[in-house]
Amino acid sequence: MVGLKPSDIPPTQGVKFLSAGTAACIADLFTFPLDTAKVRLQIQGEKAAADAVKNIRYRGVFGTIATMVKTEGPKSLYNGLVAGLQRQMSFASIRIGLYDTVKQFYTAGKDNPGIGVRILAGCTTGAMAVSIAQPTDVVKVRFQAQMNLKGVERRYSGTLQAYRQIFRQEGLRGLWKGTLPNITRNALVNCTELVTYDIIKEAILNHQLMSDNLPCHFVSAFGAGFCTTVIASPVDVVKTRYMNSPPGQYKSALNCAWTMLTKEGPTAFYKGFVPSFLRLGSWNVVMFVSYEQLKRAMMMSKQSMEIAA
């Protein structure tokens, strides 16, 4: 057995919540530079981004990271990390931590739910999580998009200042800007990610290809990351463009998508695909492996404390 063995007692809801949020934060710490590079590639081509810096072009994920380090310093790769961690603690706790509970709710507690129920549960928890965590996502994206260059005015100087400024200038609607495309994106991401992970892991265990340990979790998470990137990339690009846009640039998320299609062509919807996959693939691996181990560690600790008491 590689890693901790499964607990004899199913993890409690509190354990799922805490381990999901913590695992997502661990994954963000490892993969945040890839996410920042993805955002920069996605907004490249926007008029506002092009006007801000005319001499900088991002080419590929590693080229983008190298350009950012050279022109803005290594710290720029972690622009928006505080908001990113805030997002994961609220967002992942709900969308991942509640998934099994919602799945059981839809099946009235029956075992072996069908793929339709799993998709419905993934869409439900994804939409719930976005509705609550959207302001943290808006601030994260805007920090990742802003450039730390001399002569280029920075929109925000700190995380709390960003929340306050967006609220003062754009109201509550500004903090929840892009909620619809983000709900669409995260419903797709969540159901693809969790359902694919569920199905791959279940197939591996049912066919006895691997035992329920780290290699099994790794393979399942990697497959889930690839499927999720293919499905979610177009909505993710629109979400990033719309959330980062100044007031009035786009009338709506649909208008943003139409503008991209007419001005930049269909390939614009897959801008930043490689960093998206590198980020989602590695994020899924770190997150799911951490999540499975944290659940087991917390349940072992809980059982030890009960025995000692």
Side-chain angles (χ1 to χ4, degrees):
M1 174 67 71
V2 181
L4 299 173
K5 66 177 183 179
S7 170
D8 296 329
I9 304 171
T12 63
Q13 187 59 68
V15 166
K16 289 179 183 178
F17 254 72
L18 184 57
S19 55
T22 305
C25 285
I26 293 169
D28 250 25
L29 287 171
F30 279 99
T31 63
F32 207 79
L34 292 170
D35 191 41
T36 303
K38 177 203 73 172
V39 168
R40 292 292 181 91
L41 284 166
Q42 286 177 338
I43 65 168
Q44 187 164 259
E46 273 193 322
K47 186 177 184 302
D51 288 346
V53 184
K54 296 180 180 178
N55 298 323
I56 293 179
R57 287 283 297 174
Y58 300 119
R59 289 182 172 85
V61 56
F62 296 113
T64 300
I65 289 173
T67 299
M68 289 181 65
V69 171
K70 183 179 178 180
T71 57
E72 303 174 56
K75 286 178 65 177
S76 65
L77 298 173
Y78 283 90
N79 277 356
L81 178 63
V82 173
L85 296 179
Q86 291 171 349
R87 174 180 179 269
Q88 292 300 354
M89 281 309 297
S90 55
F91 181 66
S93 297
I94 296 170
R95 77 178 183 92
I96 299 169
L98 273 179
Y99 173 70
D100 288 334
T101 303
V102 173
K103 194 167 59 175
Q104 290 169 1
F105 171 78
Y106 284 135
T107 59
K110 295 178 183 177
D111 293 330
N112 301 318
I115 190 168
V117 170
R118 298 182 197 209
I119 289 172
L120 184 58
C123 288
T124 301
T125 58
M128 288 169 59
V130 171
S131 301
I132 293 169
Q134 181 69 5
T136 60
D137 206 7
V138 171
V139 171
K140 177 186 82 78
V141 166
R142 292 195 182 186
F143 262 102
Q144 288 174 312
Q146 79 176 5
M147 299 179 179
N148 304 329
L149 295 170
K150 290 181 180 179
V152 177
E153 186 178 353
R154 298 186 67 192
R155 294 170 79 179
Y156 311 109
S157 58
T159 306
L160 292 178
Q161 181 265 338
Y163 286 117
R164 288 195 298 267
Q165 185 172 321
I166 293 170
F167 177 71
R168 283 199 306 268
Q169 293 180 352
E170 303 172 46
L172 279 175
R173 289 182 64 182
L175 288 170
W176 266 268
K177 187 173 186 177
T179 301
L180 182 59
N182 210 14
I183 283 177
T184 305
R185 183 252 183 196
N186 279 292
L188 286 171
V189 166
N190 206 44
C191 69
T192 307
E193 195 174 79
L194 295 177
V195 172
T196 306
Y197 180 81
D198 235 6
I199 291 171
I200 294 173
K201 181 183 171 185
E202 198 172 272
I204 289 171
L205 296 177
N206 287 344
H207 290 86
Q208 298 182 338
L209 300 174
M210 299 177 186
S211 57
D212 190 2
N213 55 19
L214 285 174
C216 171
H217 305 157
F218 180 92
V219 172
S220 304
F222 188 84
F226 180 77
C227 294
T228 303
T229 309
V230 172
I231 298 294
S233 271
V235 183
D236 190 36
V237 175
V238 173
K239 179 212 77 166
T240 299
R241 290 277 187 102
Y242 187 60
M243 285 168 66
N244 183 57
S245 65
Q249 183 173 351
Y250 302 115
K251 295 176 184 176
S252 64
L254 287 175
N255 174 250
C256 176
W258 179 251
T259 302
M260 286 172 58
L261 180 64
T262 54
K263 292 190 175 180
E264 301 174 57
T267 56
F269 292 101
Y270 280 92
K271 277 192 171 183
F273 180 83
V274 173
S276 287
F277 172 59
L278 288 174
R279 195 260 174 178
L280 265 177
S282 55
W283 192 91
N284 270 273
V285 168
V286 177
M287 194 285 297
F288 277 116
V289 168
S290 300
Y291 179 49
E292 297 277 11
Q293 294 300 303
L294 282 167
K295 279 193 299 184
R296 295 174 183 187
M298 287 181 187
M299 287 307 296
M300 285 176 62
S301 177
K302 185 173 183 291
Q303 287 175 293
S304 298
M305 288 171 66
E306 288 173 354
I307 292 170

